[in-house]
Amino acid sequence: MQDALFPDEAPPLAKTPAARVRPQPIDEEQAALAAALPPLAYLGSSSWTYPGWAGLVWDKPYSDSLLSKHGLAAYSQQPLLRAVSIDRGFYRPLTASQYQRYAEQVPAGFRFTVKAPSLVADALVRSEDSGRGKQLNSAFLNPALAVQEFVQPALEGLGGKIGALVFQLSPLPPSLLARMPELLERLRLMLKALPALRPASPDGVIAVEVRDPQWLTPDFVAVLREAGATYCLGLHPKLPPIEEQLPLLRALWPGPLVCRWNLNRIHGPFGYEDAQKRYGDFDQRLDPDPHTHALLAKVVRGTTAAGQRAYVTISNKAEGCAPLTVRALAREIVDPAQG
């Protein structure tokens, strides 16, 4: 990869609203990796609205607004990008028709990981400006709202293209961290109230991702197992490293793998802004993490070899450029010696 993805006189961003986004032509290495990748391995990124992916995913730079509307179809034509995480619904619940528009842009074999809205997944009501908690959220883990505002619209709109519906539980205030047994019971009741995914989405799974290590206990595993849900492997500096989270997956085996690689550990637990500044246009893989690659690839190989699906979505803030991280992970999965 060159230091600069584009020459000094790069083409201007596309401006015509009626324009469509065209994919970057598929190179031989990507085609070969995709052919060798286990069919049950679904790799992808968190969202897709990044102009800096020109030359990797898009054929040229496009505006982020155009990519938001039309980029998913081009993204899904890249053979290694078999999945994507829809994160925008965390901030405001999406409707069934919004989900349906996404589903219509991708092929049948494509799978979505979807984050639950903060309405039910965040224990705090937060300021829109600073993101700081203002007060406790009375709707946190509310079963009826989880069904009405998240699971049912996703089922109606995405149907069989659901990979994982993820409740990412935001960091808890100290007052709630001291009441974990109560929260576990609330989580159990919510998960048990969710409709079965299988009739509409045979490959779909409910997963729970956390930001506080206090959740990671045998009691948490028992709640997930009783509800038929799984643990979302959350690769984030607020949590223990990947090897310390794997025992939870072993305790829930057999089952699918759901993993969201959110932020490189070098940036620390509050390092999103630092990562944003360092990675810029997200067009280079600046901070490779071979340790995580090796372990995650091993888990993907073992999971898929046993006939279970693996849904892995990666943020640009994992290493600097999600499509390049996906390609590196695919190499490691296919041939560990060459990873």
Side-chain angles (χ1 to χ4, degrees):
M1 187 73 184
Q2 297 177 347
D3 291 339
L5 188 59
F6 311 114
D8 292 337
E9 297 183 3
L13 297 179
K15 296 180 180 180
T16 306
R20 290 297 183 267
V21 178
R22 291 188 295 272
Q24 171 71 6
I26 299 165
D27 60 71
E28 292 183 5
E29 185 206 24
Q30 184 178 190
L33 277 174
L37 199 66
L40 298 180
Y42 297 88
L43 310 182
S45 70
S46 293
S47 191
W48 60 88
T49 58
Y50 303 105
W53 288 358
L56 295 169
V57 179
W58 332 119
D59 68 330
K60 63 181 181 181
Y62 296 91
S63 69
D64 53 0
S65 61
L66 192 64
L67 291 172
S68 177
K69 294 177 182 178
H70 304 297
L72 181 57
Y75 169 103
S76 68
Q77 292 182 50
Q78 300 297 334
L80 286 177
L81 300 177
R82 303 176 181 175
V84 78
S85 179
I86 299 177
D87 294 349
R88 62 176 288 225
F90 180 78
Y91 305 99
R92 180 175 297 175
L94 302 182
T95 65
S97 61
Q98 287 175 307
Y99 284 124
Q100 183 178 357
R101 285 196 289 272
Y102 288 139
E104 290 171 348
Q105 296 181 55
V106 301
F110 192 90
R111 294 293 177 266
F112 292 92
T113 292
V114 192
K115 283 178 63 173
S118 62
L119 172 69
V120 294
D122 195 336
L124 296 173
V125 176
R126 299 182 186 271
S127 167
E128 292 186 5
D129 297 331
S130 66
R132 294 179 179 176
K134 298 189 296 184
Q135 62 192 49
L136 291 178
N137 175 16
S138 61
F140 181 51
L141 301 178
N142 181 287
L145 287 175
V147 174
Q148 175 184 320
E149 301 293 336
F150 180 44
V151 177
Q152 198 59 48
L155 282 172
E156 292 177 11
L158 296 177
K161 293 176 181 177
I162 291 174
L165 300 182
V166 178
F167 290 86
Q168 184 220 291
L169 307 184
S170 299
L172 298 172
S175 61
L176 289 184
L177 285 173
R179 296 158 54 189
M180 287 304 297
E182 176 187 333
L183 291 182
L184 284 167
E185 177 61 12
R186 289 172 66 180
L187 177 63
R188 186 185 74 84
L189 292 174
M190 184 198 72
L191 292 175
K192 293 281 286 183
L194 301 181
L197 302 188
R198 186 167 296 276
S201 180
D203 299 342
V205 61
I206 298 290
V208 179
E209 181 182 359
V210 300
R211 283 290 182 271
D212 298 296
Q214 289 89 337
W215 286 101
L216 307 182
T217 65
D219 290 338
F220 176 60
V221 171
V223 166
L224 296 178
R225 186 187 296 112
E226 179 186 351
T230 193
Y231 174 62
C232 176
L233 190 64
L235 304 185
H236 190 287
K238 287 186 177 179
L239 293 175
I242 181 172
E243 60 268 26
E244 295 181 29
Q245 296 185 57
L246 292 180
L248 277 81
L249 298 183
R250 297 189 188 102
L252 291 164
W253 185 258
L257 168 68
V258 181
C259 175
R260 294 193 341 114
W261 189 352
N262 299 285
L263 179 64
N264 197 304
R265 301 189 71 81
I266 65 172
H267 299 296
F270 303 100
Y272 276 106
E273 290 186 7
D274 291 341
Q276 178 81 36
K277 292 176 182 177
R278 172 162 170 74
Y279 299 143
D281 291 332
F282 303 122
D283 58 356
Q284 299 178 69
R285 185 174 169 234
L286 294 178
D287 294 312
D289 182 352
H291 176 72
T292 297
H293 273 271
L295 287 177
L296 183 54
K298 183 178 180 180
V299 175
V300 171
R301 285 195 302 272
T303 300
T304 56
Q308 301 286 340
R309 287 171 172 79
Y311 303 112
V312 179
T313 51
I314 298 167
S315 166
N316 280 320
K317 298 178 181 68
E319 295 183 319
C321 177
L324 292 179
T325 298
V326 166
R327 187 177 293 214
L329 180 61
R331 290 191 200 102
E332 186 83 32
I333 294 168
V334 169
D335 186 355
Q338 299 298 319

